[in-house]
Amino acid sequence: MSKRKNPSDDNNLNSDFCDFLMELAEYEKNVSRNVHKYNAYRKAASVLATHSKRIESGDEAKKLSGIGDKISKKIDEFLQTGKLRKLENIHQDEDAQAINTLTRVTGVGPVKAAEFVRNGIKSIEDLRNNIDKLTHHQTIGVRYFEDFEKKIPRKEIQDIEGKLKNLIKNLDPEFTVTICGSYRRGKRESGDIDALVTHPSLKINEKKKKHEAKLMKSLVDALKGLVTDVISIGDTKFMYYCAILYFTGSDVFNKTMRAHALDKGFTLNEYALRPVGVTGVPGEPVQISSEEDVFDYIDYPYKTPEERNM
Ligand code: DTP
């Protein structure tokens, strides 16, 4: 999953507001480690990004869902002065800037970044000079730092999708490959490529760890030539439709849908949709045979992947 999030697109009439909200979101996630504020800023940015009109005042913005008093005041301040005091202060804070920079490296989370900064490691160059202090994952992160920051054009993903499908079908025609994430939502470029690979012999609740590990290994072997480094090999097993729904996103869409599921008495994650009993304990997973099923169960209007860009 890619690290940099950007809801701005060509049709966004409120992109300047979105930019400062996203910067505030990053600050809350990386420096303050306040996930609620992070989510609130991202939600507001996402709502503004898809609003079909240029917002002209904080009061006008406040009518949109997800925009409260504080964000509406920031919009007014930005409209009146062209900047935000809060962001100006953050820009002056060298440690905050350093933490933000380090968290751009895959494998470096906010806690680790703060620890690096405390120990005087404050830039990508500092990380490169301290390779012995990095995990395997972080080493790959700094090695390809500039590459990972680039967006991948849709055409390039289509080429890789073709190659991936060929390689995998040759290994075993029963594998299915679906590229999810922003690509499935129809975006022209993506931060990364989220490939969901499934095989019918990996069934729900089957205790076939060894079989799974072997299949996974053969898959990674088959990808030699396409793959330059392996960060880690997990053994997560999940139900296909909940997984494809989750990995298609967007993350804001997922969060809204999950909150709706909870309202309707279900818990939804990348593995399953489960009813929540009166005791609050989730029950057995609901049988799902399409993405639409998930929407149906929780009484949520169906959205095509392209309509999930919020
Ligand atoms: P990008 O173009 O930046 O890669 P993306 O494909 O939507 O955009 P990711 O690759 O980071 O985003 O993640 C793939 C999907 O996984 C995402 O669309 C939704 C899901 N996801 C990731 N993080 C979260 C989260 N924190 N909450 C809910 N869903 C998430």
Side-chain angles (χ1 to χ4, degrees):
M1 288 183 224
S2 58
K3 280 216 155 193
R4 311 227 80 192
K5 297 277 147 236
N6 188 3
S8 307
D9 66 35
D10 312 338
N11 311 321
N12 184 350
L13 300 173
N14 296 295
S15 59
D16 46 355
F17 304 136
C18 294
D19 288 346
F20 81 63
L21 289 169
M22 292 302 282
E23 206 180 331
L24 289 169
E26 287 299 303
Y27 174 81
E28 293 300 339
K29 172 164 66 88
N30 299 332
V31 185
S32 315
R33 289 184 233 147
N34 185 329
V35 71
H36 298 298
K37 285 194 179 174
Y38 166 72
N39 286 335
Y41 282 131
R42 279 188 54 74
K43 172 94 202 285
S46 161
V47 169
L48 286 171
T50 49
H51 191 60
S52 54
K53 182 181 173 296
R54 168 75 183 167
I55 289 291
E56 275 155 26
S57 73
D59 272 346
E60 189 186 342
K62 228 165 106 175
K63 296 194 184 106
L64 304 174
S65 86
I67 300 185
D69 212 29
K70 285 191 187 144
I71 292 179
S72 106
K73 289 217 168 76
K74 288 195 170 62
I75 289 178
D76 276 334
E77 184 189 338
F78 188 79
L79 281 170
Q80 280 151 23
T81 67
K83 53 189 186 185
L84 279 186
R85 270 161 306 157
K86 181 163 173 148
L87 270 186
E88 304 276 293
N89 290 339
I90 294 169
H91 291 163
Q92 303 292 317
D93 181 343
E94 278 178 25
D95 280 358
Q97 290 308 310
I99 291 173
N100 262 331
T101 303
L102 298 187
T103 53
R104 282 158 58 188
V105 176
T106 176
V108 180
V111 175
K112 190 70 206 177
E115 185 191 315
F116 278 137
V117 169
R118 271 199 307 279
N119 292 324
I121 299 175
K122 297 189 174 189
S123 64
I124 305 301
E125 201 185 332
D126 290 346
L127 287 176
R128 287 187 168 134
N129 291 330
N130 285 279
I131 291 288
D132 56 315
K133 298 194 180 71
L134 308 186
T135 63
H136 172 63
H137 187 165
Q138 292 157 353
T139 309
I140 293 175
V142 290
R143 187 183 306 150
Y144 299 111
F145 179 73
E146 287 79 9
D147 268 353
F148 284 166
E149 292 250 306
K150 290 186 192 135
K151 289 276 184 186
I152 313 168
R154 192 166 183 83
K155 176 75 184 63
E156 199 175 325
I157 303 187
Q158 279 162 344
D159 289 348
I160 292 175
E161 181 180 23
K163 283 185 190 150
L164 196 62
K165 286 191 167 159
N166 269 338
L167 281 170
I168 293 180
K169 291 272 182 245
N170 282 340
L171 170 70
D172 182 335
E174 286 203 298
F175 273 121
T176 65
V177 183
T178 314
I179 309 288
C180 301
S182 49
Y183 175 76
R184 186 161 183 256
R185 303 198 309 274
K187 292 276 179 184
R188 282 193 297 134
E189 46 179 28
S190 299
D192 67 359
I193 306 178
D194 301 288
L196 183 64
V197 180
T198 58
H199 192 281
S201 78
L202 299 174
K203 294 252 170 62
I204 314 150
N205 293 333
E206 254 179 289
K207 296 255 176 296
K208 278 194 182 172
K209 286 273 174 231
K210 266 200 188 138
H211 175 59
E212 187 185 321
K214 241 169 94 186
L215 260 184
M216 196 62 190
K217 171 118 192 3
S218 66
L219 188 66
V220 174
D221 284 346
L223 297 181
K224 293 255 164 70
L226 205 57
V227 172
T228 57
D229 294 87
V230 178
I231 294 179
S232 68
I233 298 189
D235 62 355
T236 330
K237 186 156 48 201
F238 38 61
M239 288 164 72
Y240 180 66
Y241 295 105
C242 288
I244 194 176
L245 179 66
Y246 175 84
F247 286 111
T248 297
S250 69
D251 59 348
V252 173
F253 173 81
N254 285 351
K255 283 174 189 145
T256 313
M257 186 164 174
R258 276 193 237 162
H260 179 89
L262 276 179
D263 271 354
K264 296 277 168 184
F266 288 91
T267 139
L268 174 64
N269 60 19
E270 61 268 52
Y271 307 105
L273 175 69
R274 298 188 292 163
V276 186
V278 275
T279 52
V281 181
E284 279 301 299
V286 172
Q287 289 290 320
I288 305 272
S289 47
S290 67
E291 261 184 314
E292 283 90 337
D293 269 5
V294 184
F295 289 81
D296 253 20
Y297 263 109
I298 64 169
D299 202 12
Y300 199 54
Y302 180 72
K303 296 253 187 315
T304 64
E306 291 80 7
E307 291 167 338
R308 298 178 205 162
N309 281 309
M310 46 103 37

